[in-house]
C-alpha cells in the first residue's frame, strides 16, 4: 500500500512547497478551497512525477474534513498530515480568522486522531504571533471548550478579541487562534500517543508567500528588518522542517512547538530585557 501524506492549504505557499518534498516518496492528497489554484498545484505536482489527488475542502466543515480523510485512506496508508490551511488578519474579520485557524485545526486534528493508524504524525502550522502575544491576553483556560462545545468556544474567543477596537480584532484573532493551534498541539499529545500518533506544531515567522506578504505593511515587514536574520523566510525552508517533523526521522518528537522565525522573537525578547535593564 502506498504511503500517503495529506496536506491542507496545499494549493500554494508553504503547503505546496511541502507537497513537492513529501511527494518524492509519498502519494499526496492535496486540499484547498481555491479550485483554480488547486488545479494548478495538482498539474505542477504531476509534472514532477508526484502521485497526487486534489480535493476541494473547507477545513471549517467537519463533514467535509471527514470525507477528506476517507479519500486519503482510499489512496493508501496515511502516514502524515501537514495542516497548513489558514488565513491571515488581512483576509477577513475576527470571526472568519478564528473559525478558519482554530476550528479548522480542531477538525483536521480530531479526524486525524479518529482515523490514522499507529506511527502517523500531524504537523500543525501555528505562527510566531502565538509567541509574541502577552500571556495575560490569551484565553488559554477557555481553549478546552473547543473539544466540548465549538459554539461556546467561538463565543469565548471572540469575547477575548473584543478587548481591542474593531479594526484591530482580526489581528488579535489571528494571534489567539494560532495560540490555540500551539496549545492543541501540546495539550493533546498524550491522548494522541495513546493511539500511537504524534502531534507537533511549527510557528513560522514572516514567510515570503502570497499570504505572508499581505501582512508586510501591517508590521511583518518591520519585524523582518529587526530580526536576528533580517530577511523573509522562504516557503521551502519551512517545508523542509514540516516534512522532517512528519517523518519517521522525528519519531521522538511530539507535544511541542518549534519556532522558526529567523530570530524575531529572540530579538524582541532580548531588546526588551536590555531596555528594562537600562530603565
Amino acid at each position: 500500500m502506498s504511503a500517503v501524506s495529506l496536506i491542507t492549504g496545499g494549493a500554494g505557499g508553504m503547503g505546496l512547497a511541502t507537497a513537492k518534498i513529501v511527494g518524492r516518496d509519498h502519494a499526496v492528497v492535496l486540499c484547498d478551497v481555491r479550485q483554480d489554484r488547486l488545479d494548478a498545484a495538482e498539474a505542477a505536482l504531476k509534472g514532477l512525477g508526484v502521485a497526487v489527488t486534489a480535493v476541494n475542502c473547507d477545513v471549517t466543515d467537519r463533514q467535509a474534513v471527514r470525507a477528506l480523510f476517507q479519500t486519503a485512506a482510499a489512496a493508501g496508508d496515511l502516514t502524515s498530515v501537514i495542516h497548513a490551511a489558514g488565513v491571515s488578519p488581512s483576509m477577513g474579520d475576527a470571526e472568519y480568522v478564528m473559525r478558519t485557524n482554530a476550528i479548522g485545526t480542531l477538525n483536521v486534528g480530531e479526524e486525524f486522531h479518529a482515523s490514522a493508524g499507529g506511527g502517523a504524525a500531524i504537523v500543525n502550522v501555528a505562527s510566531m504571533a502565538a509567541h509574541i502575544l502577552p500571556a495575560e491576553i490569551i484565553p488559554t483556560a477557555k481553549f478546552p471548550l473547543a473539544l466540548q462545545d465549538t459554539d461556546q468556544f467561538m463565543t469565548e474567543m471572540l469575547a477575548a478579541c473584543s478587548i481591542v477596537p474593531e479594526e484591530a480584532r482580526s489581528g488579535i484573532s489571528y494571534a489567539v487562534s494560532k495560540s490555540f493551534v500551539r496549545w492543541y498541539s501540546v495539550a493533546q499529545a498524550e491522548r494522541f500517543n495513546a493511539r500511537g500518533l504524534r502531534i507537533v506544531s511549527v510557528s513560522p515567522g514572516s514567510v515570503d508567500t502570497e499570504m505572508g506578504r499581505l501582512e508586510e505593511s501591517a508590521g511583518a515587514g518591520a519585524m523582518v528588518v529587526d530580526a536576528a536574520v533580517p530577511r523573509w523566510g522562504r516557503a521551502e525552508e519551512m517545508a523542509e522542517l514540516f516534512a522532517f517533523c512528519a517523518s519517521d526521522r522525528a519519531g521522538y518528537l511530539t507535544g511541542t512547538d518549534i519556532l522558526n522565525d529567523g530570530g524575531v522573537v529572540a530579538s524582541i525578547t532580548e531588546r526588551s530585557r536590555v531596555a528594562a535593564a537600562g530603565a
Side-chain angles (χ1 to χ4, degrees), residues 54 114 176 196 217:
V176 169
S217 61

Side-chain angles (χ1 to χ4, degrees), residues 183-252:
W183 171 85
Y184 179 80
S185 304
V186 173
Q188 305 310 309
E190 190 170 345
R191 181 168 70 97
F192 276 50
N193 185 65
R195 296 200 65 250
L197 306 173
R198 292 190 299 110
I199 177 171
V200 300
S201 62
V202 174
S203 287
S206 297
V207 183
D208 192 5
T209 62
E210 179 185 5
M211 191 171 87
R213 288 289 183 176
L214 284 175
E215 306 307 317
E216 185 169 9
S217 61
M223 285 192 287
V224 166
V225 171
D226 289 335
V229 181
R231 66 167 174 82
W232 288 73
R234 295 189 294 272
E236 293 75 15
E237 291 173 311
M238 301 299 158
E240 289 285 0
L241 179 56
F242 299 163
F244 170 76
C245 290
S247 74
D248 290 341
R249 291 172 294 164
Y252 197 55

Side-chain angles (χ1 to χ4, degrees), residues 77-130:
D77 181 20
L78 180 65
T79 62
S80 62
V81 174
I82 292 90
H83 175 48
V87 295
S88 68
S90 297
M91 297 172 71
D93 63 15
E95 194 276 341
Y96 174 70
V97 170
M98 185 65 65
R99 189 171 297 281
T100 303
N101 294 347
I103 300 299
T105 295
L106 177 76
N107 288 343
V108 172
E110 291 303 297
E111 290 303 320
F112 169 78
H113 178 266
S115 64
I122 183 169
V123 180
N124 294 312
V125 179
S127 169
M128 70 176 175

